[in-house]
Amino acid sequence: MTVRTPAVARKPRIGLVAGGLGAYWPQFPDLLPQLRRSADRVTERMREFDAEVVDVGFISDAQEGAVAAEKLRVADCDLIVGFLTTYMTASMLVPVAQRSGAPVLLINLQPTESMDHATFDTGQWLAYCGACPLPEMANAFERVGVPFRSVSGYLEDDRAWARIGRWIRAAGVRSVLRNGRHGLMGHLYPGMYDVSTDLTMVTGNLGGHMEVVEFDDLRVRVEKVTDSELDAKLDETREVFELADTVVEEDLRWAAQVSVGLDRLVADFDLDSLAYYHRGLDAEVHERLGAGMILGSSLLTARGIPACGEYELRTSLAMLIADRLGAGGSFTELQALDFTAGVVEMGHDGPGHLAISERKPLLRGLGIYHGKRGWGVSVEFDVRQGPVTLVGLGQSREGSYRLVAAEGEVVPGPHLEIGNTTSRVDFGCDPGEWTDAWSASGIGHHWALATGRLLPELRALAGLTGLELVEVAV
């Protein structure tokens, strides 16, 4: 039986082809060796990224371009990078762009910052001529219906390589979404129209597979947890969390047992993300399962398998995007506005991304969750101070998805001690005006709170997926 590599663990596969016009080689004997050295250096730099690089070599004419196109089609790449070492015709790269089915990035990286104009001859100039075909490529790509994107610079240009890295990371996120298996367990949180998700639209907008599971699928796995498995999870919990004195031992043991069951559920259904909710009644087992989800969901999220409550599938996907960008991604909603300090307070009484906590996360015992039935333990922390990005997936009336994002900064200040993942975020403007603009963006009730400034990466992701990106700023 073939075992699938989880989408979150699969490195993006980047196709690489370099080329130049073969008519130059007999005219300028030193040119091709120099261009091949540049191509080798690009290959070296590409392999430094966390990606699998499929290098199909150097092409010199349209026939070799067609051969490279077939190799890249078979390789099933997530992004193809075409290195324009000098002038080359559009006929050499259009087949690559058309046949592979993958997005294409053209790079023009000349050998150094500038030419030595006093000493260069024509052959030496041609090594700096990668910019020459870019307008030609852009026009040809437009006319054959292939999106055009490029990065220009020089071989050791860190700014250019930073831009190339954004496209590669975006390709990785696109791959996770297109190849991922996304779980939905339980039922809709009552009354929340914005949370309602058409499963077909997930696949239609992002790709991937939707797997609907039942709370009974979790129940049978929780019932089979052994004493040794439970003890190991309790040890892990005490290592990862600080335990408040409000934690009741019985509730902690139940949350740990549910966590073991969740691990098994995710493995058995081969899930890359999970959204869940179950209301339950009168302390029956399904209600107890729902109340015991936060510990296990937080541990899963920290492992790169985002799990969030309230049946918020689009937010679990937003958390997956943020996590794959290396920025965490914690389940978040608006909590309050502090007009004195000029900040927006946001967080949630539920699972959080432990990797982005400012301090060792706290596990606090709760007698009740706000607005929901249940009790047990909840995670409390604030996201690391410094730059952050909100990342959400909105949905239009026509059903199309859009990325919604805003950059701000987590700042110090007082926090409620009620088992919430609370952060104080300064957006550099009146918190009321920002809240109005954010709410009008098409975002839903929840989103992912991630560390760092991610707008450049999100712009690249939007460019590769075709999603609209709404950037909220006041």
Side-chain angles (χ1 to χ4, degrees), residues 155-277:
L155 275 179
E156 305 302 335
D157 184 351
D158 289 338
R159 292 172 300 179
W161 281 106
R163 293 169 61 200
I164 293 169
R166 290 184 195 125
W167 288 111
I168 292 175
R169 285 189 291 275
V173 176
R174 178 178 179 269
S175 174
V176 166
L177 295 172
R178 288 168 60 86
N179 296 286
R181 290 174 53 85
H182 311 298
L184 197 59
M185 181 171 70
H187 63 79
L188 185 71
Y189 184 86
M192 296 183 74
Y193 289 164
D194 68 302
V195 172
S196 178
T197 301
D198 181 334
L199 304 188
T200 305
M201 294 310 298
V202 175
T203 301
N205 281 275
L206 306 173
H209 170 77
M210 289 304 311
E211 185 73 22
V212 177
V213 297
E214 305 286 351
F215 258 81
D216 280 325
D217 292 315
L218 176 62
R219 175 184 58 80
V220 297
R221 288 164 174 80
V222 170
E223 290 171 351
K224 294 177 181 178
V225 173
T226 65
D227 289 342
S228 61
E229 289 173 326
L230 178 58
D231 289 341
K233 184 62 71 172
L234 287 167
D235 290 343
E236 178 187 2
T237 300
R238 292 189 173 97
E239 179 181 349
V240 171
F241 294 92
E242 177 185 348
L243 270 60
D245 55 13
T246 55
V247 172
V248 176
E249 181 66 19
E250 180 183 358
D251 291 345
L252 177 62
R253 294 183 65 83
W254 175 247
Q257 186 174 345
V258 173
S259 180
V260 176
L262 266 177
D263 290 344
R264 190 168 296 158
L265 178 87
V266 165
D268 290 347
F269 283 96
D270 199 16
L271 300 181
D272 297 300
S273 69
L274 176 66
Y276 64 86
Y277 178 74

Side-chain angles (χ1 to χ4, degrees), residues 356-359 382-388 409-413 415 423-424 451:
I356 61 174
S357 177
E358 173 72 16
R359 52 187 168 81
D382 55 328
V383 170
R384 279 198 305 270
Q385 293 174 20
V388 291
E409 184 170 356
V410 169
V411 296
H415 295 80
S423 297
R424 298 169 63 83
T451 54

